[in-house]
Every structure is written in C-alpha cells, then in structure tokens.
Amino acid sequence: MRILVTGGAGFIGALAVWRLLDLGYDVCVVDNLSSGHRSALDRASRLAGRPVEFHLCDVRQTSQLISIMQSFRPEAVMHFAGLKSVAESVACPELYYENNVQGSLSLVQAMLQCQIDRLIFSSSATVYGANGVPPFGEDAELGPVNPYGRSKWMVELLMRDICSAHPEFSGIILRYFNPVGAHPSGLLGEWVQGSPNNLVPYVMGVLQGRFDRVRVFGSDYPTSDGSGVRDYIHVLDLVEGHVAALNLPKGLSVFNLGTGRGYSVHEVIQAMQSVSGRIIPFDVVDRRPGDVAVSIADPCRAHQAMAWKAERGLIEMCQDVWNFAQCSPKGYELE
Ligand SMILES: NC(=O)c1ccc[n+]([C@@H]2O[C@H](COP(=O)([O-])OP(=O)(O)OC[C@H]3O[C@@H](n4cnc5c(N)ncnc54)[C@H](O)[C@@H]3O)[C@@H](O)[C@H]2O)c1
C-alpha cells in the first residue's frame, strides 16, 4: 500500500513515516519544511532500513500536489501539514486560515481530481468547547476558543461535507490530545527552534540548558495542585492510531486519540525530574489566555471501532523525551 504523508518532516509526521516504512508501506512525503527537518526523514528512513520519497512542496500548491499524486498513486493520505501554535494563531489568524484551511482544501481538491479517497486528518482536542465537562467524548459540544482550534474545526466541517457528497470517500478525523515522547532510539522526537509553546519541549529545553526555568501557567485551577491537567499520549501510540485508521470503512469517522488519564503540569515536571535525575527549576506565573483547566479524552470509541488503545504511560513518554534530549542535543541541527 502507498501512503502520501503531508508534513512528514515534522514531529509526528516523521514518526509516522518511520512506522509506515517499518510496516512495509511505500511512503511519499510532501513538506514545505517551514518547521520540519529534511534530516528527520533521513533518520526515519535509516531506522526503518527503507527509502522514502520526498517532495519540497506546499500543500497549497494544488497543481504540484496533483502531479505528485499522479506519479506516486497513493491509496491513502495522512495529512499532518499545518501550523500548530495557539499563541501565534491569536496574533496572526490569517496565517492559520490560509495554511491550515486553504492548505487542506487544496489537498482535498487534488485528491478528488486524482480519485484518491482516503484522508486521515490531524485534528486536535482544541476543537472542544471550553464549557464541556471532561472526559470529552467525540459527540461533546464543539466550540474552539482560538483561531488554531477554529482552523481545525473548519477542516472537520469540510471533511464532513466531502464525505456526504462523495460516498466513496473515507474521511477520518483524529483528535489528538497532548502528544509527547520520541522514538526509543533517541533519533526522532520533537525539536522546536525558538521558544516552544508546549510544556514537554520546554522542559526538554531547560534540561538541555537552552532555557533557564519552566513557566507554570496558573496556580488556581480547580485541580489537585492548581495547575492545568492534560491527557498526554505517547507519539508512538498516536501513530498506531493512524495505522489502525487505514482499515476503517468508507464515510466519515471521528476519533479521540488520548489515554483517558490526565496529569497536572507539576506531575509532568516531577516525572521528568525522576527520569533525568535533575532538578527542573520552575516559576508559577499567571494563567495563559485560552488555556482550559482540564482536557482529558474519552478514548472508548477508537478502542471499539479500531481495536486501538494507548499502551504507554507518562514515565515511558518522559524517558523517551529525555533519551532524545541526550542523543540529539542539537535536535536536527547541523545535519
Ligand atoms: N503536536 C501537538 O501537540 C499537536 C496536537 C494536536 C494536533 N496536532 C496537529 O498535528 C499535525 C502535526 O503536528 P506536529 O506536532 O508534527 O507539528 P510540526 O510543526 O512538527 O509538523 C508540521 C509539518 O508540516 C509542515 N508544513 C506546515 N505547513 C505546511 C504547508 N502549507 N505545506 C507543506 N508542509 C507544511 C512543516 O514543515 C512540518 O514539517 C499538525 O497539523 C498539528 O496541528 C499537533
């Protein structure tokens, strides 16, 4: 089976590429390298012992996508390409609607033209409304509170309409909770240039001496220690969810990919301290606008429909991140 992976040079995409190659799929990546790294693909290919086809291409370039699809003839597309910073989306919403929404529309147009009818889309738990009560089931009320989340929601609506109009189409929406972790080899993981928005890459930066202290946003949330609680999922479990989605029947499917268990910011810092044996200095600061107190998935639907379940716990996620920090101290730089 041939799979086209957009955004395959990014954090989650490169791990998906490795796993697909490892399972014997032929993989073609399109990525504009705006945040991804060509060397991540080289590492994925080296780890799997198989080549990967790469095209420097922006998903908004529909005609270039069409010619790549006509030549590679994929049976499915995994669509990771996109921008993902909530703060940046608030400052520059037009960038997010253009890249995430227009980019996805361009991809769908190319797929329809080339008669490729299976699309697996990286959505996000940010599509759930701020007023819902966790754990969130897939039918919980939606109502994202920032442009990033709204850009994901718009693509979900697009996929819903495409599936209604084209009965042969499989549109699979995967709502990720908080992906962390790395490949156990320490060769593939999340490498953010500049200042990361997410907790674990920031903690990793502190451990590597790139930042002085972690900032913990909020001390008065209604949680056990006052910090925000999130459902962290190992990126390899997330990738297995994508592999499982390749076998779903036609039509629209929506799944949460999470563990169903939440951890506070302080629990994550504690876990990173215990796997690294280092003290992680932190400051508690004000809440960050747009953050919710608790975000936890109800992952039962994915378990029932795809026999998929997250297997790895927080310590394993932190161990793999620490291993990546040590094995790749400069991330993908200098390659
Ligand atoms: N990491 C998370 O916490 C998280 C959570 C929920 C959803 N997601 C979604 O999962 C997907 C992958 O996330 P990630 O963490 O791997 O991010 P990432 O930034 O590491 O990877 C995104 C990749 O897409 C590429 N890209 C961006 N815009 C493109 C365009 N217009 N054309 C071609 N390539 C483009 C980038 O160069 C990069 O390689 C994103 O869509 C993101 O919104 C991520």
Side-chain angles (χ1 to χ4, degrees):
M1 196 172 180
R2 291 174 303 278
I3 318 284
L4 184 87
V5 179
T6 77
F11 166 43
I12 303 167
L15 280 143
V17 168
W18 161 73
R19 184 63 178 142
L20 291 168
L21 291 173
D22 192 49
L23 288 169
Y25 294 95
D26 289 330
V27 179
C28 172
V29 169
V30 299
D31 198 301
N32 66 2
L33 299 184
S34 56
S35 66
H37 307 267
R38 183 68 181 85
S39 56
L41 283 180
D42 295 336
R43 291 183 184 192
S45 166
R46 218 182 319 142
L47 276 171
R50 299 194 46 233
V52 57
E53 185 174 325
F54 174 69
H55 297 270
L56 182 63
C57 167
D58 193 296
V59 289
R60 289 164 288 182
Q61 301 296 322
T62 320
S63 54
Q64 199 183 342
L65 278 182
I66 289 172
S67 69
I68 293 167
M69 286 177 185
Q70 282 172 340
S71 131
F72 183 68
R73 293 180 294 107
E75 284 137 298
V77 176
M78 290 187 184
H79 179 32
F80 297 99
L83 301 176
K84 63 169 181 178
S85 159
V86 168
E88 187 185 44
S89 80
V90 172
C92 210
E94 64 280 11
L95 203 64
Y96 276 66
Y97 292 116
E98 192 194 319
N99 203 72
N100 294 359
V101 181
Q102 195 180 316
S104 301
L105 175 60
S106 161
L107 179 70
V108 167
Q109 286 169 325
M111 288 177 68
L112 291 174
Q113 175 130 353
C114 298
Q115 292 165 344
I116 298 158
D117 54 19
R118 179 169 296 261
L119 175 61
I120 300 174
F121 171 60
S122 306
S123 189
S124 163
T126 52
V127 296
Y128 292 113
N131 299 326
V133 179
F136 299 114
E138 288 83 353
D139 295 328
E141 192 187 340
L142 303 185
V145 294
N146 54 62
Y148 166 68
R150 283 190 278 272
S151 75
K152 291 290 176 188
W153 192 16
M154 285 182 186
V155 178
E156 289 199 4
L157 292 171
L158 164 70
M159 288 177 66
R160 194 171 290 273
D161 289 339
I162 294 292
C163 288
S164 303
H166 302 275
E168 73 287 1
F169 205 87
S170 308
I172 299 131
I173 294 167
L174 300 179
R175 293 181 183 148
Y176 306 168
F177 278 67
N178 287 65
V180 297
H183 190 276
S185 65
L187 288 177
L188 291 174
E190 185 167 21
W191 176 251
V192 183
Q193 268 143 347
S195 182
N197 293 292
N198 293 342
L199 174 64
V200 172
Y202 207 95
V203 171
M204 179 173 135
V206 171
L207 286 171
Q208 290 176 318
R210 289 187 287 132
F211 312 115
D212 292 336
R213 310 171 71 79
V214 176
R215 277 180 306 164
V216 178
F217 296 101
S219 56
D220 56 354
Y221 285 113
T223 59
S224 60
D225 59 23
S227 68
V229 168
R230 296 289 177 273
D231 183 336
Y232 295 93
I233 173 170
H234 197 296
V235 62
L236 292 183
D237 282 328
L238 193 82
V239 163
E240 291 308 326
H242 291 69
V243 173
L246 288 169
N247 298 314
L248 285 166
K250 295 195 178 307
L252 185 79
S253 313
V254 185
F255 296 107
N256 285 333
L257 295 184
T259 65
R261 156 115 216 234
Y263 291 95
S264 74
V265 175
H266 292 291
E267 285 173 318
V268 173
I269 293 176
Q270 190 62 49
M272 287 298 291
Q273 288 190 152
S274 90
V275 300
S276 65
R278 306 258 192 98
I279 299 290
I280 299 167
F282 64 86
D283 294 320
V284 177
V285 298
D286 287 346
R287 289 182 182 194
R288 195 168 51 173
D291 278 350
V292 295
V294 180
S295 174
I296 298 175
D298 173 352
C300 290
R301 187 190 282 181
H303 188 43
Q304 279 154 12
M306 306 196 285
W308 172 88
K309 193 165 164 280
E311 304 286 352
R312 297 158 176 91
L314 182 65
I315 290 294
E316 191 171 348
M317 298 177 213
C318 292
Q319 241 148 14
D320 287 340
V321 169
W322 173 231
N323 190 31
F324 178 63
Q326 289 176 298
C327 295
S328 303
K330 291 193 182 296
Y332 300 111
E333 280 175 13
L334 305 175
E335 279 189 50

